[in-house]
Amino acid sequence: MDKHDFVVRFAGEGGQGLVTSADALARAAAHAGYFIQTHSTYPSQIIGGPASSQVRISTTPVLSSGDGVDVLVALNQHAYDNHFEDLNEGGVTVYNAEEYDLLEGGHYFGIKADELAKSTGNARAANMVTIGAVATLIDFDLQEIDEFIRQRFTRGRPGDDEIIIANIEAVRLGADVARTSGFTVGQLDSPVPREGGQVILTGNAAISIGAMAAGLEFYAGYPISPATTILIWMEQNLWGEGRFVHQVSSEIEAINAIIGAGFAGKKAMTATAGPGFSLMSEGLGLAWMAEIPLVVTNVQRGGPATGLPTKSEQSDLYTCMHPAHGDIRMPVLAPGSVEECFYAGALATNWAERYQGPVILVTEFGLADRGENIKKPDLAEISTESRAQVSESDTGKRYDSWDGTTPLPGMPVPGGPGAYVANGSEHDEIGDTTHLPRHHVRLMERRFKKLDLLDGAHYEIENADADVIIMPWGSSKGPAREAYDRLRERGEDVGWLFSVALHPLPGGVKDVLKSADKIIVPELNYLGQWSALLRQEGYRAESITQYTGLPFKPSDLVKRISERIGVGVGVTA
């Protein structure tokens, strides 16, 4: 039976090459012209512990990790016991026959991948044995796997040819085992030809590239899951004259370093997770008060405290909107896909320069580590904004009153004209400390008025006249979109609303929110944080929450949304 979509999951223990296997299959499928999305889950220890990594392969754009699994590769008994219930009808398990055995008669077969790999002369080719078996089950062209192997191992080193030959042989040995088993899960449809180049990126890499395209010059970061790969990317790529990357000893050092860089005229950024973001609270308050441009990316994970360091959650939104004490509300961008991560990275950098202040880019583990193939961005199309500069005739009154009717005054750079004090205490026009009420009133109004300068973020509106609007945020966008499409196919009168900018909201988004009778917000937290914030603004919002550390399944959302709008669940797949 021809199918346009397959999900393959590799499950076992950390260190068994699960991510490598899923990534290899994903890259081979992307090279063949398919859309792919990867998703991994693993414990926080360096090696060992239950882990899994999967790839969804489709002839159409992949929005989520899917509802179930078509092929499960279970490398130990624990993996089989904890994942077999996710198999779709007709799904097949490939189990590690060197590790355990299953009773005859089930929808599974064993494979001795290590033993077969050794027979090729390359004991490290066991994952290729398994990939050969998986590819055969979905009738995926083995020639595409061969091409991936050639590209991967053609490195100009002695022995490359031997490694390539052994890995291709390993693929064929795995394919032979799958054919002998007699199982199949269908035939993958041929990919639809696409125009333009494709690139596979993770969310964290996309943010990094976007920020760099917008002119990022300074990055300081402390390694913390799941934000560490942004630091690593910057260390490997943010090079050249006028650019600087540094791994600091704490998140407090990171926020203060980028405040200093922003004050000195550099486009500056750091990335962290919830625990580190909490430590940056006082620094973010200083950046807001002193009006220093910078970007902080918060890659959310399960919390509070150490929580679930390698799981996905959307539970830092309250903190991101109000990250410091006092009257303060930060600009917040929350991309919903890997492609949107790229543009959000660029926009956050530009926003910081445009309004001369801190910007929060909030994402999650479910996006940070996810791989997707997207249209290769044209870096030349990314606008590069820089803060307004001062002239020789500047009066030095950087913190003068401003009501939005004139261009935002320029920001002096130390060593240039218009020197001033960047003061965390309330200050007068040149930054000197003052407790006079008139200065606090006028500068409070100035700081919040500057938020009106922030626009240009992507948003989506469909069927806005519907009484019920589905409005996810962040990584919940993909599964919510699949659920929305299924509900519309059933004839349900629901609308769609999504905004990368959570604050300030675009005017068109506000108009839809005002008119909707009910706004349903799927989000990965316990408190229903986004709907609560929307209700504070007077919008009729309510949440569908999940806090398992895993993404939504579209079928679950169809069921839960149907219950909320009072219709039968019906067909969900």
Side-chain angles (χ1 to χ4, degrees), residues 129 132-133 136 142 170-180:
V129 173
T136 301
L142 297 183
V171 169
R172 295 307 186 278
L173 291 173
D176 289 342
V177 175
R179 291 192 194 96
T180 303

Side-chain angles (χ1 to χ4, degrees), residues 170-322:
V171 169
R172 295 307 186 278
L173 291 173
D176 289 342
V177 175
R179 291 192 194 96
T180 303
S181 74
F183 289 109
T184 181
V185 292
Q187 181 175 356
L188 186 61
D189 286 340
S190 298
V192 178
R194 283 173 284 159
E195 295 182 359
Q198 296 282 308
V199 60
I200 298 178
L201 291 176
T202 64
N204 276 358
I207 286 171
S208 303
I209 297 169
M212 189 169 170
L216 186 72
E217 300 165 288
F218 185 97
Y219 186 93
Y222 179 79
I224 179 172
S225 297
T228 304
T229 50
I230 295 180
L231 170 62
I232 293 171
W233 194 96
M234 293 295 180
E235 289 174 335
Q236 294 173 342
N237 296 280
L238 191 63
W239 299 342
E241 185 177 353
R243 294 173 171 176
F244 182 79
V245 182
H246 183 54
Q247 180 175 318
V248 295
S249 60
S250 73
E251 285 90 350
I252 295 174
E253 184 180 350
I255 186 65
N256 285 299
I258 66 172
I259 288 173
F263 173 70
K266 296 294 185 179
K267 297 180 180 181
M269 176 182 177
T270 189
T272 186
F277 193 79
S278 297
L279 291 171
M280 293 182 182
S281 175
E282 186 175 7
L284 282 165
L286 171 59
W288 170 266
M289 196 72 169
E291 302 183 34
I292 305 296
L294 56 86
V295 176
V296 176
T297 298
N298 179 6
V299 188
Q300 299 170 101
R301 64 194 211 181
T306 305
L308 301 172
T310 56
K311 304 294 181 182
S312 201
E313 206 164 81
Q314 296 176 295
S315 54
D316 291 353
L317 188 56
Y318 286 159
T319 306
C320 289
M321 288 284 197
H322 306 281

